[in-house]
C-alpha cells in the first residue's frame, strides 16, 4: 500500500529512460520536470524543450510551470512565459520555453537535467458579469507603484505605445 499522499494525477511517460517528475524534498510545492534532450541555450536565445511527460489533471486544477531559482541565479535561465499554464484538458507533451538571460554564457543542459518545476493548483473559473460600475475599494484605481517603492514616484508611469 502506498503511503504517499496527494492529488492523484495520471501521467504518461513518453520517453523511456527519463525519470518522471518528482518532488525533491518533502513539502516541496513544485515537482521537477526534466529535459528529454540535450540542449544548448545561447545568450538571449529561447528554446522550446520537451519534458517527455503528458498528464491529465482533474477538472478545477491547473499546472503552473515555474523556473528553478538555482538555474536562474547561477545561469540566468528563466522561462519566457513564466509561469506556463498547463490546462486540465491538455493531453499533449508538457514543454518548457527556456530563455537564457545571460549576456555572454551559453547554458548547456543534458537529457535528464531538471529544468523547471510543475506546481499544481486549484483554479476557479469565472462567470463574467458585465456591469457599468465596479464596487469601491481601498485601492481604487491605484497601481503601478502607487503605494511607493524605489526612488521618487512624482511622475505618473509612462504609458507606452503598443509594440513600442
Ligand atoms: O509552458 C507551457 C505552456 C503551455 N503548454 C501547453 C499546455 C497548455 O494547456 C497549452 C496551451 O497553453 P496556453 O494557453 O498558455 O497557450 P496559448 O498560446 O493560449 O495556446 P492555445 O491557443 O493552444 O491555448 O500548451 C506547455 O506545454 N507548456
Ligand atoms: Mg490558451
Amino acid at each position: 500500500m502506498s503511503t504517499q499522499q496527494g492529488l492523484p494525477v495520471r501521467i504518461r511517460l513518453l520517453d523511456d529512460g527519463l525519470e518522471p517528475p518528482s518532488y525533491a524534498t518533502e513539502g516541496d510545492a513544485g515537482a521537477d520536470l526534466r529535459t528529454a534532450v540535450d540542449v544548448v541555450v545561447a545568450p538571449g536565445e529561447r528554446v522550446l524543450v520537451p519534458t517527455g511527460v503528458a498528464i491529465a489533471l482533474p477538472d478545477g486544477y491547473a499546472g503552473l510551470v515555474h523556473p528553478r531559482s538555482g538555474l536562474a541565479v547561477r545561469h540566468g535561465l528563466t522561462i519566457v512565459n513564466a509561469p506556463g499554464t498547463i490546462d486540465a484538458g491538455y493531453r499533449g507533451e508538457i514543454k518548457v520555453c527556456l530563455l537564457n538571460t545571460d549576456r555572454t554564457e551559453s547554458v548547456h543542459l543534458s537529457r535528464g537535467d531538471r529544468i523547471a518545476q510543475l506546481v499544481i493548483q486549484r483554479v476557479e473559473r469565472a462567470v463574467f458579469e458585465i456591469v457599468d460600475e465596479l464596487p469601491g475599494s481601498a485601492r481604487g484605481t491605484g497601481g503601478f507603484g502607487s503605494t511607493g517603492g524605489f526612488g521618487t514616484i512624482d511622475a505618473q508611469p509612462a504609458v507606452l505605445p503598443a509594440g513600442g
Side-chain angles (χ1 to χ4, degrees):
M1 196 181 74
S2 169
T3 55
Q4 286 185 322
Q5 297 203 323
L7 179 76
V9 173
R10 276 171 285 191
I11 184 166
R12 284 189 63 212
L13 304 179
L14 308 172
D15 185 321
D16 281 349
L18 202 65
E19 276 188 56
S22 58
Y23 296 93
T25 64
E26 203 177 310
D28 284 3
D32 290 329
L33 297 168
R34 297 168 189 278
T35 171
V37 295
D38 296 341
V39 62
V40 177
V41 193
E45 297 276 295
R46 62 180 185 270
V47 181
L48 189 60
V49 177
T51 64
V53 295
I55 60 175
L57 290 169
D59 281 347
Y61 289 83
L64 302 181
V65 181
H66 289 266
R68 294 188 65 210
S69 62
L71 293 173
V73 171
R74 288 201 299 273
H75 302 290
L77 196 70
T78 188
I79 295 174
V80 176
N81 56 319
T85 305
I86 309 301
D87 298 295
Y90 181 67
R91 299 290 180 267
E93 182 173 14
I94 295 176
K95 295 181 181 170
V96 182
C97 193
L98 292 176
L99 168 67
N100 180 2
T101 65
D102 196 275
R103 293 178 186 207
T104 56
E105 299 290 321
S106 290
V107 180
H108 295 253
L109 299 164
S110 302
R111 173 179 156 82
D113 284 348
R114 295 173 294 145
I115 55 166
Q117 52 186 326
L118 181 68
V119 177
I120 294 172
Q121 289 187 238
R122 279 179 182 274
V123 288
E124 296 287 342
R125 267 178 72 98
V127 177
F128 294 106
E129 296 171 22
I130 296 170
V131 296
D132 291 327
E133 296 287 340
L134 297 172
S137 71
R139 174 170 284 275
T141 58
F144 310 98
S146 66
T147 64
F150 297 102
T152 57
I153 53 163
D154 294 344
Q156 289 294 310
V159 177
L160 299 173

